[in-house]
Amino acid sequence: MQEKIVILDFGSQTTQLIGRRIRELNIYSEIIPYNKYPFGREAEEGIIGVILSGSPLSVYDEGAFKIDLHSLVGRVPVLGICYGAQLTALEYGGSVEPAPSREYGRANLAYVDAACPLFDGIEAGAQVWMSHGDTITSLPEGFSTMASTSDVRFAAFTGEAGMRLWGVQFHPEVFHSTCGMQLLRNFAIGICGASCTWSAASFIETTVAALKEQLGDDRVILGLSGGVDSSVAAVLLNKAIGDRLTCIFVDHGMLRKNEFSDVLRDYQGLGLNVIGVDASAKFFADLAGVTDPERKRKIIGADFIEVFDAEASKITDARWLAQGTIYPDCIESLSITGTVIKSHHNVGGLPERMNLKLCEPLRLLFKDEVRAVGRQLGMPERLINRHPFPGPGLAVRILGDITPEKVAVLQEADHIFIEGLREWGLYDKVWQAGVILLPVQSVGVMGDERTYERAVALRAVTSTDAMTADWAHLPYDFMAKVSNEIINKVRGVNRVCYDISSKPPATIEWE
């Protein structure tokens, strides 16, 4: 059985980073809501350790997220991070109070217990990252301090012998905690005893076996988008069930220039059974006059399912709908606090009227892991390295209502930008790029005449997993060339801007 470390999510924005860091150690990790832990079934589930995440809440808030720690501690090693550490201290008789001032940013460990296995190889002076408004003011009886900073006495602690319980007030998962990976390595390998055997190859082996068991002799329909996620999902499913997979590629009218024909050609070259459906008229009609980004996504998602429903009725023995949903899609669509960052069209299940069950073989992978799986499957680099593209397509890159005319303008501008990145050798250095059509017009001068035309914004970011991203520092000469080409060749555009916002606080897409 596959061993794993479970991260119990209490709603922190960095919970996903904990999972990523553990996976970087070639250890499978899984993030589950704090109230969904399978108490009493650790051996059956292969759980070798549990990490308690941070949270936006205070442990003493009314309605604060809590778990039955006594049913967990002592069964497997447990590491509490920030809120998780405070919750642990409070549960066992310690005290947590509001800090005199919010403790946020870099700090250095002034004291480290060198004998503590969690701090093996970590010395005093190591930089850590604090982000909390509360602090632990006293430890439970029998607990011991493992690390301190000049301002935080109980920066780390351990429980009584035999509890196999640790807590840290700082965030080892973030980049600014320079000893963070060592601490997580100490917990996962040194304390939990992880064998570090999880990899793209092992994922393929276990997933193909699981898909064969899950799907049996059923036929599966896969929704292709042209992106790396659905592409890898298709090849993985094809490996598992072969010709029982039928791929459907829906043209909702908001794809990139020539994308419909290019995608069909690529997939047929992979030996996949692909059906192309032009449903653009329906999508444009249903989106007419809609400006709210969430409504756009919901409409596109509903139409997407409806088109599949109609297509599925033609394949009478189809039982499953497969999608290329990945971990960041699930994370952003709904957190345990109930706060939606943005809806993803392929997240949230299927309407009851559909007779298809949902299959999402990549649901627990981050984007870079999906690419690693694609390479292991032998897929061509042009598909694996393709930039992420939103499921709703250019609809969420057009601020305001959607019209065929606006889509045509954006397709041309986007084509110039993307092809320019390729020509300048910048495409593979950027995680994601695209053009945004702004809902404003600006005054310009062309041919000695006044113009009043549209403005567009170029967006390019660097990232590793889409959870955080920085704006790409593209050469000025390149941006000048792209700007001039867009203004000269795309009728109706007279101004080009560049978005220099990072994620957070912004998201990669504008809607």
Side-chain angles (χ1 to χ4, degrees), residues 46 117 149 159 226 250 274 279 344 357 365-366 370 392 395 428 438 458 462 472 510:
T149 71
V250 176
V274 185
H344 289 262
K357 294 176 285 187
L365 294 188
F366 292 92
V370 173
D428 290 337
L438 304 180
L458 308 183
T462 57
W510 280 42

Side-chain angles (χ1 to χ4, degrees), residues 336-401:
I336 65 165
T337 61
T339 301
V340 174
I341 298 175
K342 61 183 178 181
S343 296
H344 289 262
H345 79 289
N346 55 350
V347 175
L350 303 175
E352 291 184 1
R353 72 174 185 274
M354 290 194 69
N355 293 320
L356 299 179
K357 294 176 285 187
L358 195 59
C359 176
E360 297 173 315
L362 308 180
R363 189 179 182 86
L364 295 178
L365 294 188
F366 292 92
K367 180 71 74 172
D368 55 325
E369 295 171 328
V370 173
R371 290 195 168 106
V373 168
R375 290 189 179 92
Q376 188 68 31
L377 288 167
M379 293 175 61
E381 286 294 319
R382 70 177 182 276
L383 288 178
I384 295 171
N385 286 330
R386 190 178 185 216
H387 288 176
F389 189 62
L394 300 180
V396 291
R397 293 183 179 176
I398 297 174
L399 276 59
D401 66 319

